[in-house]
Amino acid sequence: MTEVSKEDGVVFVLIERFEKFRLPRALEIKEKVERGEKLDNFDLEHLEHVMRDAEEVGRLVAKRPDLESLYSRAVSLYQTITQKALENEEKG
């Protein structure tokens, strides 16, 4: 397998996983914190996976500018959720 096809395979898996698994669950978590609820361990674990995937995409962005939008969306969503979750924690 060539380096390009390995990279394409990684990109495909990351995008598919983000769209089918990470994003829907992250949006559920976002709704949860917007209702004023606190994050549980499962939520935190999922967000860690979202960020790990985003970091992987971030490393590829230099070679694949077409991934910049995906990377930005994932990081922005993570920041939005964690900021609101922190506010909820501080409220008690």
Side-chain angles (χ1 to χ4, degrees), residues 7-80:
E7 184 179 293
D8 288 344
V10 169
V11 168
F12 176 79
V13 168
L14 287 170
I15 291 172
E16 183 175 43
R17 183 168 54 199
F18 182 75
E19 289 179 344
K20 290 185 178 180
F21 302 107
R22 304 286 194 241
L23 181 59
R25 178 71 179 112
L27 292 173
E28 289 173 7
I29 294 170
K30 182 177 182 260
E31 289 175 9
K32 180 178 181 175
V33 296
E34 287 176 345
R35 291 190 302 264
E37 297 177 41
K38 295 180 181 181
L39 299 178
D40 59 34
N41 288 335
F42 296 114
D43 299 331
L44 294 170
E45 184 178 324
H46 184 79
L47 291 174
E48 287 175 20
H49 291 297
V50 169
M51 277 313 297
R52 271 191 249 135
D53 283 357
E55 289 170 359
E56 184 69 28
V57 171
R59 286 191 281 278
L60 296 170
V61 166
K63 296 179 190 176
R64 301 281 308 260
D66 56 311
L67 299 177
E68 190 169 350
S69 175
L70 175 64
Y71 174 75
S72 296
R73 286 177 31 208
V75 171
S76 177
L77 180 58
Y78 179 85
Q79 289 174 334
T80 299

